[in-house]
Amino acid sequence: ARPPAPPPPHYLPDLYPSNPVRAMIVDEAVAVIDQILLLTPKDADAAVRAANRAEFQDSGFLRVGMELLEGRLRRSGGPFLLGAQLTIADLYVRAPLCDLFELGQFE
């Protein structure tokens, strides 16, 4: 019988680290992103929403959360949250958080 074919070169089986400290950093990043999305002002009135979002960006959790994520990334040496290891947190940043800005969901 032939041995199974090797996985393709883009196959990444370890998107969630087995090391508990590294796993906690991934969990923290996902929780921060969730909180940013949850706490983003969603007022019905456009003027109120814009004012609340400006505050959220300047001094609210958006600023705090982004500073935390940027610090983690800087300390890891990049290009990913855990340095050279791509994780589910890196992918999770892209979809909801980047779309918040790129799709104009955050004025």
Side-chain angles (χ1 to χ4, degrees), residues 32-41 49-50 52-58 60-67 69-70 92-107:
V32 166
I33 295 161
D34 282 345
Q35 287 301 301
I36 288 172
L37 297 172
L38 177 70
L39 298 173
T40 297
R49 184 175 60 245
N52 287 339
R53 286 186 175 185
E55 181 180 345
F56 183 61
Q57 179 177 341
D58 295 338
F61 191 75
L62 178 60
R63 183 186 60 77
V64 172
M66 292 304 290
E67 286 177 357
L69 293 173
E70 289 170 359
Y92 196 64
V93 166
R94 173 59 185 103
L97 198 54
C98 291
D99 287 352
L100 187 68
F101 299 99
E102 290 177 0
L103 298 178
Q105 299 170 352
F106 193 93
E107 296 86 16

Side-chain angles (χ1 to χ4, degrees), residues 2-90:
R2 289 176 50 172
H10 62 275
Y11 178 70
L12 298 170
D14 298 321
L15 290 175
Y16 192 82
S18 57
N19 175 290
V21 172
R22 294 170 69 83
M24 186 173 57
I25 292 170
V26 168
D27 292 343
E28 175 189 59
V30 170
V32 166
I33 295 161
D34 282 345
Q35 287 301 301
I36 288 172
L37 297 172
L38 177 70
L39 298 173
T40 297
K42 300 167 186 72
D43 305 272
D45 182 271
V48 171
R49 184 175 60 245
N52 287 339
R53 286 186 175 185
E55 181 180 345
F56 183 61
Q57 179 177 341
D58 295 338
S59 62
F61 191 75
L62 178 60
R63 183 186 60 77
V64 172
M66 292 304 290
E67 286 177 357
L68 187 141
L69 293 173
E70 289 170 359
R72 289 278 189 210
L73 184 60
R74 188 173 34 258
R75 284 188 298 280
S76 79
F80 304 113
L81 183 66
L82 296 179
Q85 181 185 0
L86 177 69
T87 70
I88 193 70
D90 298 294

